[in-house]
Amino acid sequence: KYVAFWMGSMDTAAKMCKLHKKYCNASSGRLVSIINSSFVDGMIALYFARKHGDDEEEWTALGESTIQTWSRWAECSSWNFVNKLNLLEAEYAFLKKDDGTAIAKYDASIKAARDHKFNHEEGLAEEKAATYLLHMSRHNEALARFKNAKKCYEKWGAAALVERVETAISVLSPLCVCP
């Protein structure tokens, strides 16, 4: 599920998410696994809720539940959780077509991840912000965010993610107006 999510294979990630929900009722005993799984599940859920399919209600409910969980966790440890909470809230605002909140939450997630040296999560927030801006036809801003994501992923040493983002940059660049 994690690899599919990070590589952008969202259909595969969704299948793994559903399998996990169906068969993994017990904790693995590792808190880190529970935390990572919850975050990824929430991101997957909000992505698929935006697709407005037959299961939109189910995905939205999972996204909302995840945000509630992360709100509690962020109260206990802002350092570890606030950037991810902000990203989940940004994706929820994207779903609800709340532009002002979406941009503010993406920016808050990016800043918190950068301040806490979570390079991979800063890159993810930049990439998700770029996707949102692309959806809003704000190509130049999206391109800048994809370039920032690429730098974060390079810092993290994630060559496959760098390559994937470079592809997005090369497709988007001709659509942009250079100042």
Side-chain angles (χ1 to χ4, degrees):
K1 171 172 69 176
Y2 305 110
V3 172
F5 171 75
W6 280 98
M7 292 307 298
S9 300
M10 297 305 285
D11 289 329
T12 300
K15 287 176 189 170
M16 297 295 105
C17 179
K18 286 181 177 183
L19 284 172
H20 183 262
K21 293 289 181 207
K22 184 175 180 179
Y23 295 111
C24 297
N25 295 326
S27 164
S28 68
R30 296 182 57 126
L31 186 57
V32 128
S33 176
I34 294 165
I35 291 167
N36 288 333
S37 185
S38 172
F39 175 69
V40 169
D41 287 350
M43 293 297 290
I44 292 166
L46 294 168
Y47 173 86
F48 278 98
R50 281 198 314 271
K51 299 299 178 189
H52 305 295
D54 294 339
D55 53 0
E56 177 182 356
E57 212 172 281
E58 173 189 342
W59 286 119
T60 300
L62 177 56
E64 290 170 343
S65 170
T66 303
I67 289 170
Q68 289 174 357
T69 298
W70 281 82
S71 293
R72 288 190 306 275
W73 290 349
E75 287 175 12
C76 295
S77 178
S78 176
W79 182 273
N80 286 316
F81 301 120
V82 77
N83 69 298
K84 291 175 268 307
L85 172 60
N86 283 325
L87 186 52
L88 288 162
E89 290 174 334
E91 292 287 284
Y92 186 75
F94 185 175
L95 168 66
K96 297 299 182 179
K97 299 179 169 84
D98 182 352
D99 184 57
T101 300
I103 293 298
K105 291 293 185 173
Y106 285 122
D107 288 343
S109 178
I110 291 162
K111 182 182 183 324
R114 182 180 310 123
D115 289 350
H116 302 153
K117 309 288 188 244
F118 299 149
N119 296 327
H120 61 303
E121 292 170 0
E122 179 184 354
L124 178 63
E126 288 280 13
E127 186 177 0
K128 294 300 181 182
T131 301
Y132 172 75
L133 291 164
L134 195 55
H135 179 79
M136 301 299 289
S137 298
R138 293 160 64 177
H139 297 124
N140 287 357
E141 292 171 83
L143 180 62
R145 299 290 185 128
F146 276 126
K147 288 178 178 180
N148 290 341
K150 178 185 168 197
K151 288 177 191 173
C152 293
Y153 292 150
E154 285 172 336
K155 252 193 248 183
W156 191 34
L161 296 180
V162 169
E163 186 177 313
R164 183 172 54 74
V165 172
E166 282 176 340
T167 300
I169 291 168
S170 67
V171 169
L172 184 56
S173 289
L175 303 174
C176 294
V177 178
C178 296

